[in-house]
């Protein structure tokens, strides 16, 4: 793995109470960042933050629902009021449920997925951008998916929202790249965790039938996020970086 130094950086990670988000929070902390662990369930966020501090890192926890703009704005404004700035925003919060074919989907549940997967990214980005623009510096990373470019049976909500997030990543780069805002996406591929358990239980498409060996550990995704926070990733600004390829893994020292 590459040696990454994020000392002095304030990082805000959504959906960080477990899984990939928790792994990202831990990795950014080991790289020297002060990490704000954000999750809808504040108790889960506090547990991750305490784990980071116990390991010698710097972290704090905050609750908040990314689907509520007021919640996420209050949390990010509070971080800036306390620390003076926010340098890194990781838009990780996302859901795969409910998995269902379009004709069987529940419109209310479909909308709820859009609110987390797309509006949540917009809300956090909208809350952080003014602070980053005031300093002419900031990195915004969205956890994306190959589903953004490939329809998957039962995943209409997920594929559609990830495609939208991919375009939002490009839009941020288009509007603010020349003003010092770094915008990137990460498509890690299938990652071991709760989301994959739900996919397997559905039996809906080929992803549900993958073997354990086909999943990557969440720490690999976390390593990619940490690397994307550095200038070494600048050639990928405005795009989705993938660690499903040997080339991508080689850049991270995971080959």
């Amino acid at each position: 793995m590459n040696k990454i130094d994020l000392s002095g950086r304030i990082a805000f990670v959504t959906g960080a109470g477990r899984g990939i988000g928790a792994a990202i929070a831990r990795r950014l902390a080991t790289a020297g960042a002060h990490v704000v662990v954000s999750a809808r369930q504040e108790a889960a966020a506090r547990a991750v933050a305490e784990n980071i501090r116990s390991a010698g890192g710097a972290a704090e926890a905050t609750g908040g629902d990314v689907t509520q703009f007021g919640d996420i704005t209050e949390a990010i404004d509070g971080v800036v009021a306390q620390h003076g700035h926010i340098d890194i925003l990781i838009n990780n919060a996302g859901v795969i449920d409910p998995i269902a074919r379009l004709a069987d989907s529940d419109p209310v549940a479909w909308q709820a997925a859009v609110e987390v997967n797309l509006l949540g990214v917009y809300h956090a980005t909208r809350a952080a951008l003014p602070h980053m623009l005031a300093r002419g510096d900031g990195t915004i990373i969205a956890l994306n998916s190959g589903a953004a470019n490939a329809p998957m049976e039962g995943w209409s909500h997920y594929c559609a929202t990830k495609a939208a997030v991919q375009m939002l990543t490009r839009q941020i780069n288009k509007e603010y790249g020349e003003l010092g805002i770094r915008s990137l996406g990460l498509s890690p591929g299938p990652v071991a965790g709760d989301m994959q358990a739900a996919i397997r239980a559905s039996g809906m498409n080929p992803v549900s039938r993958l073997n354990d060996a086909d999943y990557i550990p969440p720490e690999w995704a976390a390593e990619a996020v940490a690397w994307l926070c550095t200038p070494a990733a600048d050639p990928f600004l405005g795009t989705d970086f993938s660690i499903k390829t040997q080339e991508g893994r080689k850049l991270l020292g995971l080959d």
Side-chain angles (χ1 to χ4, degrees):
M1 294 183 183
N2 298 316
K3 181 173 177 55
I4 295 169
D5 185 3
L6 300 177
S7 300
R9 311 290 275 177
I10 306 297
F12 191 102
V13 186
T14 70
R18 60 181 181 175
I20 297 176
I24 291 169
R26 289 191 292 266
R27 180 63 185 97
L28 296 182
T30 63
H34 181 104
V35 181
V36 181
V37 181
S38 174
R40 182 180 297 182
Q41 301 298 325
E42 189 169 353
R46 287 198 300 268
V48 173
E50 176 57 34
N51 177 262
I52 290 171
R53 291 192 296 268
S54 296
E60 61 192 85
T62 182
D65 185 346
V66 295
T67 69
Q68 303 300 312
F69 183 58
D71 275 15
I72 200 70
T73 299
E74 181 180 358
I76 288 177
D77 286 354
V79 169
V80 175
Q82 180 178 352
H83 299 285
H85 54 100
I86 177 172
D87 304 292
I88 297 166
L89 170 64
I90 311 299
N91 284 309
N92 169 75
V95 295
I96 189 69
D97 287 321
I99 297 172
R101 295 178 179 86
L102 268 170
D104 302 322
S105 62
D106 176 358
V108 174
W110 210 97
Q111 178 177 324
V114 172
E115 290 174 349
V116 175
N117 292 356
L118 176 57
L119 280 181
V121 174
Y122 165 74
H123 287 160
T125 299
R126 176 62 181 81
L129 263 175
H131 300 296
M132 292 179 171
L133 287 169
R135 301 179 72 235
D137 180 57
T139 294
I140 299 173
I141 297 172
L143 266 292
N144 212 335
S145 169
N149 302 301
M152 298 294 295
E153 186 180 11
W155 291 14
S156 60
H157 58 308
Y158 192 73
C159 294
T161 52
K162 289 302 182 181
V165 168
Q166 188 179 85
M167 180 55 71
L168 188 58
T169 296
R170 294 173 61 187
Q171 189 72 24
I172 297 165
N173 182 67
K174 178 73 172 179
E175 294 184 359
Y176 302 113
E178 293 183 355
L179 298 177
I181 308 304
R182 305 173 69 256
S183 175
L184 307 101
L186 171 66
S187 292
V191 180
D194 293 343
M195 187 175 286
Q196 298 305 328
I199 292 169
R200 278 184 166 177
S202 75
M204 185 68 72
N205 57 48
V207 181
S208 70
R209 296 184 285 277
L210 292 176
N211 297 317
D212 288 343
D214 295 318
Y215 295 109
I216 67 168
E219 288 75 20
W220 283 24
E223 186 65 25
V225 168
W227 182 78
L228 290 174
C229 290
T230 72
D234 283 356
F236 299 95
L237 292 174
T239 73
D240 253 20
F241 179 76
S242 175
I243 52 174
K244 291 182 288 185
T245 67
Q246 198 64 28
E247 293 79 10
R249 293 178 182 181
K250 185 176 182 179
L251 285 170
L252 303 178
L254 295 173
D255 59 327

